[in-house]
Amino acid sequence: MEGTELDTEQVGAETARSGRRFGTGWLAVAVVVGLLIGLAGGLLVPGMLRPGDTSAEAGFARDMATHHAQAVEMAILAHEKATDPDVRTLGVDIALTQQGQIGTMQTWLRTWNLDPTGSQPRMAWMPDGGGTIRNGLMPGMATDEEREQLRNATGRDFDVLFLQLMRKHHLGGIHMAQGVLDLSDDDQVRALAESMVAGQKKEINSIQALLTKLGAS
């Protein structure tokens, strides 16, 4: 275990150093590559039955892709602006993971012959989902004011605000992923949703540890 922890720390350090050396451009390229990998991954195990336009699977894919897109936006900001190297590394991890998952969900919709945007309101696929919408936003999403505040923040203030917003964002994403697990028997959708729940819970633990490190709540 000690060797594994050391390797992880070295990888994180290398990621942070690479980010400083090559700037934002390398992450933009990596995000595009992640999207392409996700697009390909969505084609690997085509389902026998195609979910319909108003299905939970289609609604989840559409809404979670939009939810993820905001997380990627904030994570790229963290790579650009965070002072703490561990926060920068977290930003890279979130951007690459969630962009790949966006690609997978977009591929599902094309495979199902469905439009990327449906006819139903956000969260209509989930029982009482409409009640989770606040100010037109899905669970956990940052408001325009919060995103503007994040763009303008610097130093430790940026690091803390990013972590707090991403923690809330992840909690909302977990709620959505658990919702589709209650509704879907599609193996591909369930596998991705389970991966999201596990991955984002792990990242919330990391966020909590980083907030403690920075002396914030």
Side-chain angles (χ1 to χ4, degrees):
M1 287 297 293
E2 292 181 359
T4 301
E5 291 174 0
L6 179 59
D7 290 344
T8 302
E9 292 173 1
Q10 289 172 341
V11 169
E14 287 298 323
T15 302
R17 286 196 291 271
S18 296
R20 289 193 295 272
R21 187 163 58 246
F22 297 111
T24 305
W26 79 271
L27 180 56
V29 172
V31 163
V32 172
V33 171
L35 176 61
L36 293 174
I37 291 172
L39 290 169
L43 292 170
L44 292 179
V45 190
M48 294 297 292
L49 299 175
R50 290 176 175 172
D53 186 63
T54 61
S55 66
E57 292 84 0
F60 170 75
R62 289 165 174 149
D63 287 353
M64 189 61 88
T66 299
H67 199 273
H68 270 20
Q70 188 186 80
V72 171
E73 174 195 337
M74 293 194 296
I76 290 175
L77 274 178
H79 166 67
E80 295 173 353
K81 297 184 62 176
T83 301
D84 189 290
D86 292 329
V87 177
R88 287 198 302 272
T89 298
L90 178 66
V92 172
D93 291 343
I94 291 171
L96 296 180
T97 299
Q98 297 209 11
Q99 191 65 26
Q101 292 172 347
I102 289 171
T104 296
M105 292 182 286
Q106 289 175 343
T107 298
W108 289 347
L109 292 170
R110 281 195 292 273
T111 302
W112 299 336
N113 290 330
L114 299 177
D115 292 332
T117 57
S119 57
Q120 292 190 309
R122 296 288 188 196
M123 299 297 297
W125 57 273
M126 190 172 173
D128 300 322
T132 67
I133 299 293
R134 297 287 184 273
N135 301 315
L137 297 171
M138 289 179 285
M141 292 185 72
T143 65
D144 289 343
E145 292 77 12
E146 288 171 331
R147 291 161 66 199
E148 183 66 17
Q149 184 181 358
L150 185 66
R151 284 191 289 268
N152 292 332
T154 58
R156 176 186 176 277
D157 289 343
F158 174 89
D159 293 1
V160 170
L161 182 58
F162 167 74
L163 293 170
Q164 291 171 337
L165 291 177
M166 192 57 71
R167 176 177 58 189
K168 182 175 72 170
H169 203 277
H170 274 9
L171 288 170
I174 289 169
H175 175 70
M176 293 167 66
Q178 289 175 329
V180 82
L181 287 171
D182 291 337
L183 299 169
S184 178
D185 58 2
D186 184 291
D187 289 342
Q188 291 183 94
V189 174
R190 291 188 62 83
L192 184 62
E194 287 169 354
S195 174
M196 288 176 183
V197 170
Q200 293 189 27
K201 282 183 176 180
K202 182 177 180 181
E203 286 175 348
I204 287 174
N205 289 336
S206 297
I207 288 170
Q208 292 290 128
L210 286 170
L211 285 169
T212 299
K213 172 185 173 183
L214 294 171
S217 60

